């Protein structure tokens, strides 16, 4: 699934993303200059922490972001396969994602 790094049950997730992106592009007449697709990694923010749905608060998420942004960890993530590579990527704050979306 998705370049053979995730179990097959994730296939529907990625297929749904492809369908949604194609539908958005089609709704804009097929002109990609009118479309911005944001694909952040794990997003954190707010003041609560929970499992269902998963939520990571700002204090914890920003600490994890700082830790996973160190050069050595980034270098390890670059050479690590599959799910471990994804887990070693720094999360992104909801404020950063919102700013990028608003700027687009």
């Amino acid at each position: 699934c998705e370049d053979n790094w995730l179990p097959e049950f994730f296939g529907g997730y990625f297929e749904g993303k492809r369908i949604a992106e194609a539908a958005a592009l089609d709704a804009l007449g097929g002109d990609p200059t009118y479309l911005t697709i944001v694909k952040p990694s794990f997003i954190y923010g707010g003041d609560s922490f929970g499992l269902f749905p998963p939520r990571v608060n700002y204090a914890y998420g920003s600490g994890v972001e700082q830790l996973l942004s160190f050069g050595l960890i980034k270098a390890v993530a670059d050479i690590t396969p599959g799910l471990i590579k994804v887990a070693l990527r720094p999360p992104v704050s909801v404020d950063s994602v919102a700013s990028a979306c608003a700027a687009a």
Side-chain angles (χ1 to χ4, degrees), residues 42-87:
F42 189 80
I43 301 171
Y44 69 88
D47 57 3
S48 64
F49 190 91
L51 294 177
F52 302 104
R55 299 198 189 284
V56 174
N57 66 23
Y58 183 81
Y60 180 80
S62 63
V64 171
E65 181 180 19
Q66 286 181 331
L67 176 67
L68 295 180
S69 294
F70 283 121
L72 177 61
I73 294 176
K74 289 171 74 174
V76 169
D78 287 342
I79 62 171
T80 305
L83 213 46
I84 296 170
K85 176 184 292 229
V86 174

Side-chain angles (χ1 to χ4, degrees), residues 16-39:
K17 290 175 73 73
R18 282 189 285 276
I19 291 168
E21 290 172 13
L25 185 60
D26 186 54
L28 296 169
D31 187 347
T33 62
Y34 293 116
L35 179 65
T36 299
I37 297 174
V38 179
K39 297 180 179 185

